[in-house]
């Protein structure tokens, strides 16, 4: 029953794939602009032997490293900012000025600073994802119900214990949803950074396949990274649900 | 007004000193940082190529402005951003409302959105280039496509969360289906729709810059990437400052518009805190 | 409901002495607001005192000062002969909205305070089990607060506070968020618990009947700025029980206090409108 339901739910996707195949095979659009779906699948299995996975792994390494650093540093910085008022007063204006900056403006900067390699992309993703995480952790920690903190203090908790045992868990739901936004941003920066300039990675692969006229291959690359982005998000949502099981 | 989490400093004695710190502290940080930036590179603590002095960057911005290059870039980038944003808003809100009102539309779009929302849509840029060419059309469509999912989701959620009583009372007062949509559903959903638009606008800015960097064709992103290619570091930093200011202004403008549109809403009466 | 005369064997914790306490709120913008104006109040050891007044009269502020959550601006407060310097486990507090840790189960919530007292593990477990039984939550030990009803949450909050065995119990409208039925059950339970082991209780409420029912003395406060308007003895011959709660003298007392509170509520209302 559940299976039928899931199938029915995803029928529109199947429908789209069929239309895609038909439109291209029947010559309604040029095969050049939209290679048939079946060709893309073939290209996918061909690319799998020609380094698709190596490029993908390279990209994931960059993305995961930069993202993980941003999450760790960002959450710590945001929570401490909320906890120590002087830090907040001094750092807040800086955050407010820098936060609205479109993060893609960092791409040329990291290219100029560090070049084309892994470190350039890792730095890009780290800096780009940092501010959203800091800001959400800061807002979350600042929004923690005063009364929870007072309860803990009246039961004899010390300041440091209040911070780690009350403020951080109470802020967790909002911190986690801030991190989810950063996760999407990490993928955007990763792919666009590689599309602009790189010598390997999935974005680079898509770029050279397109330039070389292998459009079926290019579509296969696009589908691959989109799928990874989708599952990364789903995995994150599942993880969040697990951490926040107490929320019902 | 910011609330303290840590212990308040007690008593009246430290009060005025604290208030002074709270008023001037923020300016202090920013001015100190700007001075540190200037000095660090003047005193050659960092290589000027990695961080050119602030004064050099400012002169560069002024020169670009006087030559007409900068106003031109800003105008082009803003034009692309705003056209794409408007397109995304119209398409997104329409689809969102259709989804909430029609089961077949909902069945069709639900899986597409749940896959499209989290996927890195910028990966489709080469496809958009292939289909729509290298000029404004493909840039604008790419940007609108990237931003529209957030708007669809926000509109859909907004119309779902309207209290049934609101619609029932309009019905009992004799409003037609169309009137209910225009006079009840849209205004009631407006706060959440605007929130969706406020999420979509920064996405537009981010993606516009990327399309300019990849496809060229003038604009702030194109100029900045060209500076990076020529290892022209004042140019890159000037670009960051310019883009930062443009981003700040655009997002601020959106906040003002929100407040204007939601005069009736209680949030406008509450002090906004960031 | 049974007699509420305190048995003599519980150790003395000393009363509370509040001397000329003033408190002013100073918002970041706007004029400072005087919440408490020269409050003098002596509360005896193991006495149950209710504080009654219109909303905004500063009764919660007084309680938070007793708890040591806010710095004392003027005057002095001592509990058990010692001046208070901050929050501490000698004064347990129960808040209106329960203030349970939502990420901890019932058991973990009650254990938290005991862990902070650095009690040995088996004693912690034993005490927790005892208090879970006492507030009739056996079977819900591993539920999260989000799975409990309002009355159950408040019972957890009371158990959590009683478990650390405070000399003084501070209660900030603890039953304010409950429905009428649950509320009256909880009142009975609180009386029963207090009869078994009486402690000094300061109970803030705006429900006149609740105050007369529970307290030995009722302190009526004026509208803002809060001053002590009148202190009324509400002990009844033979202690409190269901019969007395329906008797003429009880109802007369409620009526008398109700008139006092209403006068202040009208003052507060007209001040708020101006």
């Amino acid at each position: 029953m559940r299976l039928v339901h899931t199938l029915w739910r995803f029928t529109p996707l199947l429908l789209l794939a069929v239309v895609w195949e038909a439109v291209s095979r029947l010559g309604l659009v040029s095969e050049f602009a939209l290679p048939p779906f079946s060709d893309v699948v073939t290209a996918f299995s061909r690319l799998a032997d020609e380094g698709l996975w190596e490029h993908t792994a390279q990209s994931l390494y960059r993305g995961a490293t930069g993202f993980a650093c941003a999450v760790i540093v960002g959450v710590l910085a945001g929570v401490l900012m909320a906890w120590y008022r002087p830090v907040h007063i001094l750092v807040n204006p800086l955050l407010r000025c820098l936060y609205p900056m479109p993060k893609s403006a960092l791409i040329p900067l990291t290219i100029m600073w560090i070049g084309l390699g892994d470190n350039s992309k890792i730095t890009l993703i780290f800096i780009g994802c940092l501010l959203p995480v800091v800001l959400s952790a800061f807002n979350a920690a600042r929004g923690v119900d005063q009364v929870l903190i007072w309860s803990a203090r009246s039961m004899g908790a010390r300041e440091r214990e209040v911070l780690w045992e009350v403020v951080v868990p109470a802020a967790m739901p909002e911190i986690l949803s801030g991190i989810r936004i950063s996760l999407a941003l990490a993928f955007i920066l990763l792919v666009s950074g590689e599309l602009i300039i790189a010598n390997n990675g999935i974005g680079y692969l898509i770029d050279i396949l397109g330039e070389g006229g292998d459009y079926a291959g290019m579509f296969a690359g696009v589908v691959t990274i989109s799928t990874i982005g989708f599952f990364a998000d789903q995995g994150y949502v599942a993880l969040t649900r697990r951490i926040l099981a107490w929320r019902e | 007004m910011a609330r303290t989490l840590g212990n308040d400093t007690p008593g009246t004695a430290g009060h005025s000193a604290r208030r002074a710190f709270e008023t001037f502290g923020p300016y202090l940080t920013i001015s100190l940082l700007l001075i540190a930036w200037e000095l660090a590179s003047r005193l050659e603590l960092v290589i000027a190529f990695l961080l050119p002095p602030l004064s050099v960057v400012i002169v560069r911005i002024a020169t670009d402005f006087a030559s007409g290059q900068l106003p031109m870039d800003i105008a082009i980038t803003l034009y692309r951003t705003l056209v794409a944003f408007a397109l995304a808003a119209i398409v997104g809100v329409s689809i969102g409302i259709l989804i909430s009102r029609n089961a077949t539309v909902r069945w069709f779009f639900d899986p597409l959105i749940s896959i499209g929302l989290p996927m890195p849509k910028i990966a489709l840029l080469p496809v958009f280039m292939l289909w729509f060419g290298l000029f404004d059309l493909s840039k604008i469509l790419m940007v609108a496509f990237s931003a529209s999912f957030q708007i669809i989701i926000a509109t859909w959620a907004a119309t779902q969360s309207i209290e049934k009583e609101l619609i029932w009372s309009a019905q009992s007062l004799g409003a037609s289906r169309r009137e209910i949509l225009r006079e009840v559903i849209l205004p009631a959903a407006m706060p959440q729709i605007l929130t969706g638009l406020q999420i979509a606008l920064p996405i537009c800015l981010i993606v516009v810059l990327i399309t300019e960097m990849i496809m060229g064709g003038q604009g702030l992103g194109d100029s900045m990437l060209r500076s990076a290619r020529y290892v022209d570091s004042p140019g890159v930093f000037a670009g960051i400052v310019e883009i930062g200011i443009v981003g700040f202004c655009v997002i601020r403008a959106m906040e003002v518009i929100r407040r204007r549109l939601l005069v009736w809403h209680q949030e406008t009466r509450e002090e906004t805190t960031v | 409901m049974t007699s509420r005369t305190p048995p003599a064997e519980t150790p003395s914790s000393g009363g509370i002495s509040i001397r000329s306490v003033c408190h002013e709120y100073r918002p970041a913008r706007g004029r400072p607001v005087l919440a408490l104006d020269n409050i003098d109040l002596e509360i005896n050891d193991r006495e149950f005192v209710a504080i009654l007044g219109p909303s905004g009269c500063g009764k919660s502020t007084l309680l938070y000062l007793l708890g040591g959550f806010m710095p004392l601006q003027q005057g002095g407060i001592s509990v058990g002969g010692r001046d208070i310097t901050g929050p501490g486990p000698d004064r347990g507090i129960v808040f209106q909205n329960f203030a349970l840790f939502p990420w901890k189960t019932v058991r973990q919530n009650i254990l938290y305070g005991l862990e902070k007292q650095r009690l040995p593990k088996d004693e912690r477990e034993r005490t927790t089990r005892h208090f879970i039984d006492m507030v009739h939550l056996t079977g819900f030990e591993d539920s999260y607060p989000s799975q409990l009803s309002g009355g159950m949450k408040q019972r957890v909050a009371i158990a959590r506070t009683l478990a650390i065995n405070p000399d003084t119990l501070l209660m900030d409208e603890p039953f304010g968020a409950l429905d009428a039925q649950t509320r009256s059950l909880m009142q009975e339970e609180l009386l029963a618990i207090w009869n078994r082991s009486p402690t000094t209780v300061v109970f803030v409420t705006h429900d006149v009947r609740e105050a007369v029912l529970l307290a030995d003395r009722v302190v009526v406060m004026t509208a803002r700025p809060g001053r002590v308007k009148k202190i009324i003895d509400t002990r009844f011959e033979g202690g409190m029980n269901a019969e007395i709660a329906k008797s003429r003298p009880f109802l007369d007392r409620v009526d008398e206090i109700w008139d006092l509170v209403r006068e202040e509520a009208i003052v507060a209302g007209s001040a708020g409108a101006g």
Side-chain angles (χ1 to χ4, degrees):
Chain A
M1 200 52 225
R2 235 184 102 91
L3 185 73
V4 173
H5 182 78
T6 316
L7 273 179
W8 175 243
R9 190 174 165 221
F10 286 98
T11 311
L13 289 178
L14 209 68
L15 219 66
L16 273 188
V18 171
V19 171
W20 176 354
E21 181 76 22
V23 159
S24 182
R25 286 274 174 229
L26 298 176
L28 296 178
V29 298
S30 99
E31 239 178 73
F32 178 73
L34 188 69
F37 185 64
S38 49
D39 283 8
V40 174
V41 176
T42 324
F44 181 81
S45 62
R46 171 169 52 82
L47 283 174
D49 298 330
E50 290 173 10
L52 175 65
W53 299 129
E54 285 78 3
H55 284 293
T56 308
Q58 195 65 36
S59 294
L60 288 185
Y61 158 70
R62 293 164 175 166
T65 313
F67 178 66
C69 293
V71 166
I72 295 167
V73 176
V75 170
L76 280 177
V79 169
L80 291 177
M81 261 177 69
W83 190 245
Y84 297 106
R85 192 180 171 82
V87 182
H88 157 222
I89 291 170
L90 294 177
V91 181
N92 194 34
L94 202 65
L95 273 185
R96 288 184 62 163
C97 286
L98 292 182
Y99 182 71
M101 158 125 96
K103 310 293 177 289
S104 45
L106 294 166
I107 298 174
L109 183 69
T110 55
I111 290 174
M112 190 187 72
W113 270 352
I114 310 172
L116 318 184
D118 283 346
N119 290 340
S120 161
K121 307 287 180 287
I122 292 172
T123 313
L124 169 68
I125 292 167
F126 170 69
I127 305 180
C129 294
L130 187 63
L131 275 191
V133 177
V134 172
L135 210 73
S136 76
F138 170 67
N139 283 332
R142 215 171 49 135
V144 171
D145 193 350
Q146 181 80 66
V147 161
L148 286 184
I149 295 166
W150 285 355
S151 305
R153 279 196 189 134
S154 82
M155 284 187 280
R158 285 178 282 204
E159 287 306 289
R160 185 179 294 232
E161 292 171 333
V162 173
L163 178 59
W164 295 113
E165 294 167 3
V166 178
V167 174
V168 170
M172 200 46 88
E174 211 182 320
I175 293 179
L176 288 175
S177 59
I179 292 176
R180 187 175 175 196
I181 294 171
S182 280
L183 180 64
L185 190 59
F187 268 98
I188 294 178
L189 291 177
L190 175 69
V191 174
S192 49
E194 287 179 351
L195 279 175
I196 289 170
I197 193 163
N199 31 31
N200 52 22
I202 183 85
Y204 163 82
L205 184 69
I206 293 172
D207 190 39
I208 54 158
L209 288 173
E211 304 237 307
D214 179 1
Y215 295 115
M218 183 183 89
F219 271 91
V222 169
V223 171
T224 307
I225 188 65
S226 304
T227 314
I228 292 172
F230 173 72
F231 281 110
D233 184 70
Q234 290 295 299
Y236 182 78
V237 170
L239 180 75
T240 307
R241 211 167 289 148
R242 195 127 177 217
I243 296 176
L244 301 181
W246 51 268
R247 266 215 306 197
E248 273 304 272
Chain B
M1 196 190 99
R3 197 157 52 81
T4 337
L5 281 180
N7 260 328
D8 250 325
T9 7
T12 19
H15 188 68
S16 54
R18 201 179 87 198
R19 185 156 281 195
F21 176 65
E22 285 180 9
T23 317
F24 298 111
Y27 301 102
L28 195 74
T29 323
I30 292 193
S31 9
L32 277 182
L33 262 164
L34 293 179
I35 293 170
W37 176 358
E38 179 72 23
L39 286 183
S41 100
R42 285 273 172 230
L43 301 176
E44 292 178 358
L45 299 176
V46 293
I47 310 166
F49 151 69
L50 290 181
L51 189 69
L54 175 62
S55 49
V56 172
V57 174
I58 291 175
V59 169
R60 174 58 178 266
I61 295 175
T63 323
D64 283 352
F65 194 87
S67 75
Q69 181 63 41
L70 178 56
M72 179 78 164
D73 279 342
I74 292 178
I76 291 175
T77 300
L78 274 182
Y79 156 73
R80 288 170 182 151
T81 311
L82 296 179
V83 170
F85 178 66
L87 188 63
I90 293 167
V91 173
V93 172
S94 312
I95 295 182
I97 285 179
L98 279 177
I99 284 178
S100 68
R101 288 167 82 81
N102 184 308
T104 316
V105 178
R106 181 157 59 239
W107 168 77
F108 182 73
F109 276 104
D110 177 44
L112 300 186
I113 289 168
S114 63
I115 286 183
L117 185 69
M119 89 179 204
K121 290 163 280 289
I122 191 72
L124 289 171
L125 186 61
V127 177
F128 276 70
M129 286 160 70
L130 179 64
W131 286 350
F132 306 110
L134 291 172
F135 302 103
D136 277 358
L137 179 64
S138 60
K139 291 192 182 83
I140 289 170
L141 288 178
M142 182 73 239
V143 175
F145 181 75
S146 299
S148 55
F149 285 86
Q150 288 290 353
I151 302 175
I152 298 176
I153 283 283
T155 310
W156 184 7
T159 49
Q160 282 325 91
S161 64
I162 296 173
E163 290 167 49
K164 290 279 168 290
E165 288 86 345
L166 214 56
I167 296 169
W168 288 342
S169 62
Q171 276 171 344
S172 73
L173 292 171
S176 69
R177 233 176 111 77
R178 178 180 295 262
E179 283 167 343
I180 287 178
L181 174 64
R182 211 183 48 232
E183 291 158 10
V184 180
I185 296 182
L186 274 182
M190 198 47 81
Q192 254 178 295
I193 294 180
L194 284 173
T195 306
L197 293 177
Q198 280 178 306
I199 296 173
L201 187 55
I203 298 179
C204 287
L205 280 166
I206 290 176
V207 178
V208 159
L209 294 173
I210 295 171
T211 60
E212 289 173 354
M213 287 176 199
I214 294 176
M215 300 157 117
Q218 307 274 37
L220 290 167
D222 183 22
S223 295
M224 200 180 162
L225 191 73
R226 223 174 309 137
S227 300
R229 286 237 164 88
Y230 300 149
V231 203
D232 163 20
S233 81
V236 170
F237 277 88
I240 288 210
V241 174
E242 291 153 12
I243 290 171
I245 293 172
V246 169
F248 189 84
C249 295
V250 169
I251 284 166
R252 256 302 138 94
M254 185 70 201
E255 283 169 16
V256 172
I257 292 173
R258 180 194 182 98
R259 224 163 298 150
R260 277 281 166 78
L261 287 176
L262 297 183
V263 192
W264 54 273
H265 203 263
Q266 71 171 68
E267 68 170 28
T268 19
R269 262 170 288 254
E270 287 163 11
E271 215 179 320
T272 37
T273 52
V274 174
Chain C
M1 278 180 260
T2 50
S3 157
R4 46 167 210 205
T5 327
E9 64 267 22
T10 18
S12 162
S13 61
I16 299 172
S17 164
I18 301 168
R19 299 173 306 271
S20 344
V21 165
C22 297
H23 194 86
E24 197 179 55
Y25 282 105
R26 300 165 183 140
R29 260 161 278 180
R31 213 174 287 174
V33 178
L34 189 62
L36 292 175
D37 186 13
N38 213 10
I39 302 280
D40 276 297
L41 189 61
E42 294 291 327
I43 296 170
N44 299 324
D45 183 27
R46 277 171 277 161
E47 186 181 24
F48 197 129
V49 167
I51 299 181
L52 204 56
S55 40
C57 75
K59 49 192 195 298
S60 293
T61 306
L62 184 59
L63 202 72
Y64 298 159
L65 289 174
L66 279 169
F69 303 121
M70 296 190 300
L72 200 56
Q73 295 169 347
Q74 223 180 91
I77 299 179
S78 55
V79 175
R82 272 169 303 152
D83 283 345
I84 55 164
T85 51
D90 57 322
R91 283 153 288 136
I93 184 157
V94 179
F95 293 100
Q96 173 172 13
N97 291 317
F98 324 128
L100 295 177
F101 300 129
W103 57 91
K104 286 180 185 285
T105 62
V106 168
R107 216 171 57 85
Q108 291 165 338
N109 261 290
I110 298 176
L111 268 173
Y112 186 80
L114 300 169
E115 281 160 11
K116 296 301 146 212
Q117 307 310 305
R118 312 278 184 267
L119 291 176
K121 194 170 181 344
D122 56 327
E123 198 184 326
R124 290 198 308 245
E125 295 292 342
R126 195 151 17 91
T127 314
T128 303
R129 221 171 309 124
H130 169 74
F131 278 97
I132 288 175
D133 289 345
M134 191 178 90
V135 296
H136 314 299
L137 282 169
T138 322
F140 293 95
E141 292 90 342
D142 298 317
S143 305
Y144 287 106
S146 61
Q147 299 165 309
L148 303 178
S149 70
M152 288 160 99
K153 281 188 226 175
Q154 195 53 290
R155 291 211 293 269
V156 180
I158 291 172
R160 179 175 74 169
T161 306
L162 291 177
I164 55 173
N165 195 22
D167 302 326
T168 306
L169 199 54
L170 308 174
M171 305 186 99
D172 184 17
E173 303 204 32
F175 308 143
L178 306 179
D179 63 85
Q181 234 166 2
T182 318
R183 191 175 181 140
S184 110
L185 282 174
M186 294 293 297
Q187 289 165 353
E188 275 178 47
E189 262 181 64
L190 178 64
L191 263 188
I193 291 168
W194 188 75
N195 278 316
R196 255 174 282 148
S197 52
T199 50
T200 312
V201 179
V202 183
F203 189 102
V204 165
T205 180
H206 61 252
D207 180 336
V208 178
R209 193 180 173 276
E210 180 174 81
V212 179
L213 183 76
L214 296 173
D216 295 325
R217 279 194 298 162
V218 172
V219 178
V220 180
M221 290 183 61
T222 64
R224 181 179 296 157
R227 296 191 197 92
V228 176
K229 184 181 172 83
K230 199 165 180 192
I231 300 177
I232 296 135
D233 199 300
T234 52
R235 258 170 300 204
F236 291 89
E237 199 71 28
M240 181 52 62
N241 58 48
E243 281 312 302
I244 286 182
K246 279 183 234 155
S247 71
R248 194 75 240 169
F250 179 90
L251 296 175
D252 284 345
R253 199 67 54 85
V254 170
D255 223 35
E256 175 197 341
I257 297 177
W258 175 244
D259 282 340
L260 290 172
V261 173
R262 206 180 45 173
E263 280 171 25
E264 292 307 319
I266 291 169
V267 174
S270 55

